[in-house]
Amino acid sequence: MEENRPIQDNINTDRTAAAVDAAAIAAGSPAEAAVTETVKPSADLPAQQAAEEQKPRRVNREDREVVVSFDHVTKEYKLYKTDKARFRGLFSKKVPYKVNRAVDDLSFELRKGDSIALLGHNGAGKSTILKMVTGVTFPTSGEVMTKGKISALLELKAGFDPESTGRENIYLKCSLMGMKDEEIKKREPKIVKFADLGDYIDQPIRSYSSGMKARLGFAICVNVEPDILIVDEALSVGDKRFRKKCIKKVKKIMADENVTLLFVTHSSQTAQAFCERGIVLEKGRKLFEGDLQDAIDFYEAQDELLQDND
């Protein structure tokens, strides 16, 4: 009997404490709030926690993967006086020529989810940079690295087979991007709907106007789910309604943090609509890189300085 006494005492103590808490709640004491919070947790708490977990968490730029890298890249072109001299230059180093350095010792990185505008006047090297990113041309020295599927809105009317239909050219251009037939077939309806060419989609490309070719080219490039999207003043294709459609589509693509945008424009206003960072170029060299507004301020200040010198 003596051994069971401590257990009995604990039971009596717990009952007494419970009675005291019950009396305190009935009296409206502060103990009421504490007990209420413990016994009756908020019914909305699990839903709130689930909502917080589902919210996309933006990763710091420094922690994101590098998808485009220029490491001390220089690109030079040989300028000959005539086509005949250019042809002779293929076989002899004695043929005189001038050297145009389109890109001069350029280094920068694009990370996944970046949206960067290249700002600069004609001859700054913007188009040459895009050609090296897409693999159209290669650096004279330095290293260019890219990672992921690249979709370029550059020469939208180029690369079509004039004798094939618009639908057949969808398969042609997508296969050149490395896509398989099953994947192309899956995306074909979206491309056809976006291009909005009606019955012309099954007509030969040679019967298309330049605007129709550009619309089809744009529709293909923005509907292949690229990892890197390159835009070179290509948002002015088609009529006003189609231009708005293009801008809306690019913004929708940019809502995905996994897509990287490299945007070339002369318009600061257009850059502000799409980009967060900017690089200012002059004669192939990088003058500034940083926040977009700071880049625009730097670019406009340089522009005013050049106008004053003129």
Side-chain angles (χ1 to χ4, degrees):
M1 295 295 292
E2 293 296 332
E3 294 177 357
N4 293 332
R5 185 171 295 172
I7 298 175
Q8 185 65 36
D9 290 343
N10 290 336
I11 294 173
N12 292 336
T13 302
D14 292 342
R15 287 176 177 172
T16 302
V20 171
D21 288 342
I25 293 171
S29 69
E32 178 181 4
V35 173
T36 303
E37 290 175 0
T38 304
V39 177
K40 294 181 180 180
S42 173
D44 295 335
L45 188 58
Q48 291 174 358
Q49 291 176 344
E52 289 295 327
E53 291 176 358
Q54 290 176 359
K55 282 184 179 180
R57 297 180 180 178
R58 188 169 182 84
V59 181
N60 291 332
R61 183 175 185 271
E62 294 74 15
D63 298 329
R64 285 183 259 146
E65 181 182 18
V66 176
V67 293
V68 176
S69 173
F70 273 53
D71 184 13
H72 296 284
V73 171
T74 295
K75 177 62 180 178
E76 295 179 344
Y77 291 99
K78 295 179 180 179
L79 304 181
Y80 294 91
K81 288 186 177 181
T82 64
D83 290 339
K84 184 178 180 180
R86 184 178 299 106
F87 179 74
R88 289 171 54 205
L90 296 173
F91 307 98
S92 174
K93 295 182 180 180
K94 296 180 180 180
V95 181
Y97 61 85
K98 290 183 179 180
V99 175
N100 175 36
R101 185 165 289 185
V103 175
D104 189 4
D105 194 29
L106 179 65
S107 296
F108 69 89
E109 288 182 344
L110 270 68
R111 295 178 181 271
K112 183 176 289 188
D114 276 351
S115 52
I116 294 184
L118 297 181
L119 302 170
H121 296 287
N122 292 334
K126 304 184 299 296
S127 296
T128 303
I129 291 170
L130 299 191
K131 289 177 181 178
M132 286 191 282
V133 172
T134 54
V136 174
T137 189
F138 301 95
T140 305
S141 63
E143 184 178 358
V144 176
M145 183 280 292
T146 61
K147 188 173 184 180
K149 185 192 296 180
I150 300 174
S151 182
L153 303 177
L154 302 176
E155 297 293 336
L156 295 176
K157 295 175 283 187
F160 288 120
D161 177 13
E163 298 303 321
S164 299
T165 66
R167 194 181 302 274
E168 290 168 342
N169 271 279
I170 291 174
Y171 281 81
L172 173 63
K173 294 204 74 170
C174 288
S175 60
L176 291 175
M177 294 181 186
M179 298 172 62
K180 296 182 179 179
D181 285 348
E182 293 181 1
E183 190 178 0
I184 300 172
K185 189 174 182 180
K186 181 181 176 182
R187 306 197 194 287
E188 179 189 342
K190 291 183 179 180
I191 296 172
V192 172
K193 182 179 179 181
F194 191 92
D196 194 21
L197 296 174
D199 294 336
Y200 271 93
I201 194 65
D202 293 308
Q203 299 301 312
I205 289 290
R206 55 180 164 75
S207 65
Y208 285 22
S209 66
S210 59
M212 292 169 70
K213 292 177 186 177
R215 287 172 66 163
L216 181 58
F218 192 98
I220 292 171
C221 290
V222 297
N223 284 285
V224 296
E225 296 185 5
D227 298 306
I228 303 168
L229 181 63
I230 296 175
V231 182
D232 183 8
E233 299 283 12
L235 297 177
S236 58
V237 296
D239 53 28
K240 185 176 181 180
R241 184 178 66 86
F242 191 76
R243 285 198 298 271
K244 288 184 178 180
K245 189 177 179 180
C246 294
I247 293 172
K248 184 178 179 181
K249 180 65 177 178
V250 172
K251 287 184 176 180
K252 184 178 179 181
I253 293 173
M254 290 312 302
D256 182 357
E257 291 187 3
N258 291 322
V259 177
T260 302
L261 175 68
L262 185 57
F263 193 87
V264 169
T265 181
H266 295 282
S267 170
S268 301
Q269 186 176 1
T270 305
Q272 288 174 324
F274 297 99
C275 302
E276 296 177 352
R277 295 174 59 79
I279 297 176
V280 181
L281 300 165
E282 183 179 339
K283 296 181 179 179
R285 298 186 68 88
K286 181 174 70 175
L287 299 183
F288 180 89
E289 179 180 2
D291 179 75
L292 178 63
Q293 189 56 54
D294 293 337
I296 290 174
D297 292 342
F298 184 92
Y299 175 63
E300 291 179 347
Q302 289 290 113
D303 197 28
E304 291 178 2
L305 184 61
L306 291 173
Q307 289 178 358
D308 292 340
N309 292 336
D310 291 342

